[in-house]
Amino acid sequence: MAVTGRFVALLAVGLLPVVLFGATAPGAYLALACWLVFCCVLGAIDLLAASSPRRVLLARMLPASVRLGETVSSTILVTNLGAKRLRGRLRDGWEPSAGASPSRVQLDVPPGERRMLTLTLTPRRRGTRRAAFVVIRSAGPLGLWSRQATLASSAELRVLPPFHSRRHLASRIARLRELEGSTPVMVRGEGTEFDSLREYVAGDDVRSIDWRATARTSTAARAGSGIMVRTWRPERDRRVVIVIDTGRASAARIADEPRLDTAFESALLLAALADRGGDRVDVVAFDRRIRARVTGAKGPALLSRLVTALADVQPELIETDWSAVPSQVRAVTHRHALVVLLTDASAPGSSTGLLAALPQLTATHTVVVASVRDPRVAELAAERGDVDSFYGAAAAERALLDAARVAEAVRLSGAHVVSAPPAELPPALADRYLQLKASGRL
């Protein structure tokens, strides 16, 4: 049972004689007691006249998934199975991070009929958002007392990574097509494959002449013409293995975004680009055990499987076991591959395990270590306004020097380093992939 504000106002009316004539007036307390009894009897009658909130049938209509930041509609179908008209309010029990609006909906269902109630959900966190119950408060005809019941009605909405970096994909694909199609190279090297034959022009490398093809041409006997040369292009069908660190370092928020979410954005953009480039992409989210793994997917299924697998992955407050990462990569492929490690490489203390594992990876693979750089640190290092800002600038400079030391140690181990603010890291990593592909070092 619930008491409404109308009932409280009705009780307050009974206090008017006491306020106007005083508590010492004859019969004041008796009149107040009678009024209280009258109000309670009236409320009880109103409660009995209210429809039972349990005699309803609930059904839900909800999409299976939504990207973070987008809005979807959640529909509840309420069927009144009772013999009385159901008037009142309904509250859907979503988690606060689901962003349900409005929080309460007015309800008016005649007996034997059904009504459709629609709420909007704008999730504020990635992962599976859940609703476990629905609360219905049924009011009587007078609106004094209400009957309330909590009914079990579960629902789930999977909130996928937003993939804001998708806007960089078209320009990188255009550069990839230019790299593969319209600009064949004349020098053969590791990571290149045969593209086509064409006639020799002045300035071509004589080492690229294909004498067998020249001999087969009908004009080979003519001096200065009919000489065929080979052109090469970056090799396709290479392996790209993306390892996402889900340990405690990934829980830090950089520019109001968890480091792990930035890693997901970078992995999605790189996976989409590498797939369009004809390479095979495998993604592993790991700390001390595998949190998510996507292998063998190509084309449109790759991004679909990636966002679904990464949706529920959250940072774990444990130290990442970097000694197990080389074995995880070997479980994916024994061939030479581009291995991208998305982790934090800003502090020497937390990067000890990473630096110890890099030589095992660089001995077989091309390794790129991608790390988020906090733009606030650079801003603090430039502030010199007062004594407090000087101390902050000194700490920021110390952090920048530590990050530079870790980056140099990574380079000495034979790996490449990509470090950028959250919004710039995904395109920077995609550009490094294109550079390595163009130079034939994948």
Side-chain angles (χ1 to χ4, degrees), residues 18 69 75 92 132 137 158 163-165 171 200 239 250 329 332 337 393 441:
V18 177
T75 301
D92 201 356
R137 179 175 291 181
R158 175 164 287 186
F163 196 15
H164 295 309
S165 57
S171 60
Y200 177 87
R239 298 299 292 263
S250 64
V329 175
V332 175
R441 286 183 287 172

Side-chain angles (χ1 to χ4, degrees), residues 86-139:
L86 177 61
R87 300 183 183 89
R89 305 177 74 183
L90 178 145
R91 182 173 74 89
D92 201 356
W94 284 97
E95 300 175 1
S97 57
S101 177
S103 60
R104 290 165 176 80
V105 183
Q106 293 294 330
L107 195 62
D108 187 358
V109 187
E113 295 188 15
R114 180 172 62 181
R115 292 293 183 267
M116 179 183 296
L117 307 177
T118 302
L119 299 85
T120 60
L121 301 177
T122 307
R124 297 188 292 269
R125 288 186 58 189
R126 179 180 46 78
T128 301
R129 307 273 71 85
R130 295 179 173 86
F133 59 87
V134 168
V135 179
I136 295 180
R137 179 175 291 181
S138 174

Side-chain angles (χ1 to χ4, degrees), residues 41-72:
V41 171
L42 197 61
I45 295 174
D46 191 40
L47 183 67
L48 293 175
S51 176
S52 172
R54 296 188 179 276
R55 299 202 62 188
V56 296
L57 180 63
L58 300 176
R60 290 182 180 270
M61 297 171 59
L62 182 70
S65 62
V66 63
R67 292 192 180 276
L68 181 63
E70 295 181 354
T71 299
V72 295

Side-chain angles (χ1 to χ4, degrees), residues 84 87 94 110 117 171 173 227 242 265 287 326 347 366 420:
K84 302 175 184 178
R87 300 183 183 89
W94 284 97
L117 307 177
S171 60
I173 290 178
I227 299 176
I242 304 174
E265 288 286 321
D287 41 65
T366 300

